[in-house]
Amino acid sequence: MGLPQIRAAARRINGVVLETPVLPMDPAGRLLLKAESLQPVGSFKFRGAYATVASLSPDERRRGVITYSSGNHGLALSRAARLLGTRATVVVPIGTPLAKRDRMLAEGAELIEIDAGSEERRARTEALAAERDMELVPPYDDDRVIAGQGTIGLELVAQVPNIAAVLTPVSGGGLASGIAAAVRRLKPDVRLIGVEPELAADARESLARGHIVTWPAEQTTRTMADGARSQALGRRPFAHLIALLDEIVTVTEDEIVEAVRLLARDARIVAEPTGALAPAALLFRRAELGLDGLAGPAVAIVSGGNVDPDRYRRLLGEPGS
């Protein structure tokens, strides 16, 4: 994945996908947030989904698109499909948050719910794509999708010229690898840091071992960060991350909750638990990562804000919730 592909994706999404703001998390402006939660569908996933569907031929669009998703990618693909005149089918896990499920239906998507982990959902979706002759748009293991997510890196370098570090959540790896591919080529000295829940840290283990490690679904589903429950990195993201990422850290469930609260209180940002992963590391792993000693600011990606209102009230600890 190179800059030409990422810049081509940027041209495809221009005027549809929001160039999200970079907001301060501290008074000194050393800790910054890239608010992808403000995208029209509430997460960064709109970039990769729209860039991919926009790149399809008329015949491929006519046949429709299909994916597997815990919510945000499915919602993004549903919106992209509607805007570009095709139809979307999304294979989702039982228990997908209502805020995501209802919005996918509102976009006109067909939902297929199955009680299975991410790897089984992937296999089922690939089989359905072949049966129905639909275009498969994976959530992360696809060069078109990775290029779309990489447009965040282009924006960051332009918005924060003295950027010193980027902290990115890692699930299947599409977001982190896209950003890393862009930033590393434009600003080689910037530190690139991935962040996972410690209860779903398959990517950290994979990078440490030098090969993709798959965690069982019963382990990854323990984390409240439902968007980070993928059981393994994609093949393409793994190749990018092992070559480009400086390190990967984990955060606890308590730290995720506290980050959600601090984002609401100090930055006025609504974040779902997955969206709070990178800010949690920014807040609670600063000493471990040496962020205070950097020459410029560190930016954490707030990857999404699609959280059910009742769940959000519970995360904030509101009385009576």
Side-chain angles (χ1 to χ4, degrees), residues 74-291:
L75 175 56
L77 189 66
S78 301
R79 172 70 64 89
R82 180 177 64 78
L83 292 176
L84 290 164
T86 186
R87 69 190 191 282
T89 298
V90 186
V91 178
V92 299
I94 291 175
T96 295
L98 287 175
K100 299 175 182 179
R101 185 182 183 280
D102 290 348
R103 291 179 67 192
M104 282 186 274
L105 291 171
E107 295 288 350
E110 175 193 4
L111 300 190
I112 299 174
E113 293 184 292
I114 66 172
D115 185 14
S118 62
E119 290 303 294
E120 186 177 337
R121 290 199 310 276
R122 176 188 59 77
R124 188 83 63 87
T125 305
E126 289 173 352
L128 281 170
E131 289 172 16
R132 298 184 176 191
D133 192 28
M134 301 180 80
E135 180 70 17
L136 177 64
V137 182
Y140 46 83
D141 199 3
D142 186 288
D143 288 337
R144 303 164 299 180
V145 172
I146 292 170
Q149 321 306 22
T151 60
I152 296 173
L154 298 182
E155 290 179 17
L156 275 176
V157 170
Q159 291 171 313
V160 190
N162 62 335
I163 190 171
V166 181
L167 291 83
T168 309
V170 179
S171 180
L175 173 63
S177 56
I179 290 176
V183 174
R184 184 64 77 211
R185 288 165 175 81
L186 293 169
K187 290 270 190 178
D189 295 332
V190 171
R191 286 181 62 195
L192 299 171
I193 301 166
V195 186
E196 279 186 302
E198 67 175 15
L199 296 183
D202 59 279
R204 184 179 66 169
E205 184 176 350
S206 296
L207 296 183
R209 291 177 177 265
H211 62 86
I212 296 174
V213 175
T214 300
W215 279 31
E218 57 267 24
Q219 284 189 264
T220 60
T221 53
R222 296 175 301 166
T223 180
M224 71 177 70
D226 58 274
R229 291 173 178 169
S230 63
Q231 295 172 246
L233 288 170
R235 179 177 57 82
R236 292 172 182 83
F238 174 76
H240 286 298
L241 296 183
I242 200 164
L244 301 174
L245 207 63
D246 289 304
E247 56 195 306
I248 189 164
V249 297
T250 62
V251 291
T252 68
E253 299 297 290
D254 287 344
E255 288 166 343
I256 294 170
V257 173
E258 187 61 17
V260 169
R261 294 171 179 165
L262 291 172
L263 286 168
R265 188 192 73 184
D266 297 340
R268 281 72 62 194
I269 291 176
V270 173
E272 61 189 276
T274 309
L277 286 173
L282 188 71
L283 294 165
F284 304 117
R285 295 289 182 269
R286 285 165 60 187
E288 175 184 336
L289 295 169
L291 298 182

